[in-house]
Amino acid sequence: MKQLSFMLLLSLALLLVSTIGVTNAGGLGRGGGRGGGNGGGSGGVFGMNFYRSTTCPQAENLVRQATRSKVRSDPTLAAKILRVHYHDCFVRGCDASILLDTVGTNQSEKDARPNLTLGGFEAIDDIKAQVEQACPGVVSCADILALAARDAVSFPFGRDLWPVPTGRKDGKVSLIGDVTGNLPSPFSDFTTLKQLFAKKNLDVNDLVALSGAHTIGVAHCGAFSRRLFNFTGKGDQDPSLDPVYAETLKQKCPNPANPATVVGMDPGSPGSFDNSYFRILKQNEGLFQSDAALLTDPTSTSIVNQLQFPGNFFGAFARSMVNMGSIGVITGADGEIRKNCRVVN
């Protein structure tokens, strides 16, 4: 029954997205433009199966095969690429600005503190190179990143877990100063998270569902150590954190912790994309302060309760990934197709 529920919800999500491909972008899902309002370029198209009508109809399959090959060799790439996609979309929209390197004195988003622990850039470079070899100058880095995130997470399932509209163009600007105030922090309370998501035209359902991405991957000790040793500045521990779990974390991340030490975000199954995150959240084992914050609001707590069931989670995550992947999309003449994802043309 759980499998049937998941497939039904995913089918509905795919049907919804396939019927609302739009021109001039910005209207797909709830994702908006630069500040959360409708974005999009001049005369561009953003929707399902964009590349079927271009000179690279095999684009999505090229990305899928290249991504699967990468993840087969390194399963940790699923969480890494998903995180890069998330960090990209919340700053300047889903325009691959996170992939641009610093040039001269112009520090890019990569140099911002929250992005220093991102990984998977080399994998994206390799995927882009393979696509460029087959279809030069056709497929954007922004679309490759969005597709690779989906394909990397979906790999163990043998099917796509969410639909990915395409037709994004690449942005030409990446500034370190744009990260502050746009990217959610692991130290955020619920009000801050809700307001930040609202600026991106995402609601509480999206906030909770997308937090479920914490079911895979690892975090550095510095992202949560304050909850263990100095929560209110008085050498105390966060009372909302399960005491037994807190002791386990202290063993792995003593004070001061080794900056290189990492801990699985989902203590039950950090390598599996599943609904376990919501179960451990209810047990007060959410790793970040922002995780625990979801239980401080009645509406988000109700959603957490619903997403403890696999069918509910996968369907909600699929819808919210479409919404997030539509933030600030550039189309038409407002962007470019980078030859190299690290530099503008």
Side-chain angles (χ1 to χ4, degrees):
M1 287 297 294
K2 291 181 179 179
Q3 180 74 5
L4 180 61
S5 297
F6 161 67
M7 292 305 296
L8 176 61
L9 286 166
L10 183 57
S11 297
L12 288 173
L14 285 164
L15 178 62
L16 172 66
V17 174
S18 66
T19 60
I20 55 177
V22 295
T23 57
N24 292 329
L28 191 84
R30 289 194 303 277
R34 288 287 177 233
N38 285 339
S42 304
V45 177
F46 175 58
M48 296 303 298
N49 305 313
F50 170 82
Y51 291 103
R52 286 187 182 177
S53 60
T54 71
T55 56
C56 193
Q58 73 273 37
E60 293 193 27
N61 190 54
L62 289 170
V63 176
R64 179 179 288 108
Q65 294 304 319
T67 302
R68 285 179 176 178
S69 177
K70 292 290 181 184
V71 177
R72 189 178 291 112
S73 301
D74 180 7
T76 68
L77 281 174
K80 292 177 181 178
I81 296 176
L82 180 61
R83 187 179 174 213
V84 172
H85 180 39
Y86 171 78
H87 282 226
D88 179 47
C89 290
F90 269 80
V91 181
R92 301 192 66 85
C94 307
D95 65 348
S97 56
I98 187 64
L99 302 181
L100 289 170
D101 286 340
T102 288
V103 177
T105 58
N106 175 42
Q107 289 185 286
S108 70
E109 294 169 28
K110 279 182 180 178
D111 289 334
R113 185 173 180 180
N115 294 333
L116 294 178
T117 56
L118 292 178
F121 294 114
E122 293 79 8
I124 296 298
D125 291 339
D126 289 345
I127 296 168
K128 170 66 171 176
Q130 292 183 48
V131 174
E132 279 293 304
Q133 185 173 13
C135 305
V138 178
V139 186
S140 68
C141 296
D143 275 346
I144 287 174
L145 178 56
L147 289 166
R150 188 271 310 277
D151 296 338
V153 175
S154 300
F155 173 69
F157 296 83
R159 57 181 177 272
D160 294 344
L161 293 185
W162 65 88
V164 177
T166 46
R168 301 168 184 82
K169 287 290 186 69
D170 297 323
K172 302 176 183 179
V173 177
S174 183
L175 300 173
I176 187 173
D178 286 339
V179 175
T180 302
N182 279 305
L183 196 63
S185 163
F187 309 106
S188 297
D189 59 20
F190 179 78
T191 299
T192 301
L193 291 170
K194 182 179 178 180
Q195 291 174 345
L196 196 153
F197 271 64
K199 289 180 181 178
K200 309 301 177 184
N201 211 15
L202 301 176
D203 63 19
V204 176
N205 289 289
D206 297 312
L207 166 59
V208 179
L210 293 173
S211 294
H214 291 170
T215 193
I216 55 171
V218 298
H220 289 76
C221 297
F224 58 87
S225 60
R226 188 171 69 186
R227 299 186 72 196
L228 303 175
F229 301 107
N230 198 27
F231 184 59
T232 66
K234 300 178 181 179
D236 54 343
Q237 180 176 297
D238 184 350
S240 70
L241 190 62
D242 177 78
V244 176
Y245 181 48
E247 288 304 316
T248 300
L249 292 175
K250 287 179 179 179
Q251 293 298 317
K252 297 178 179 180
C253 296
N255 192 24
N258 184 332
T261 302
V262 294
V263 172
M265 290 188 286
D266 179 346
S269 53
S272 299
F273 188 79
D274 53 33
N275 62 310
S276 174
Y277 167 81
F278 298 99
R279 293 199 302 269
I280 63 103
L281 196 59
K282 293 292 292 183
Q283 297 167 7
N284 296 317
E285 294 182 0
L287 187 61
F288 305 128
Q289 190 172 338
S290 60
D291 294 324
L294 300 181
L295 300 180
T296 64
D297 175 81
T299 300
S300 60
T301 298
S302 176
I303 299 170
V304 167
N305 290 336
Q306 296 171 30
L307 299 191
Q308 290 182 85
F309 300 97
N312 292 345
F313 166 58
F314 283 109
F317 192 80
R319 290 189 294 272
S320 292
M321 284 301 296
V322 173
N323 292 334
M324 188 194 79
S326 304
I327 298 173
V329 167
I330 302 173
T331 65
D334 289 350
E336 65 178 9
I337 305 295
R338 288 185 217 140
K339 298 176 182 178
N340 180 337
C341 292
R342 292 178 179 265
V343 295
V344 297
N345 292 340

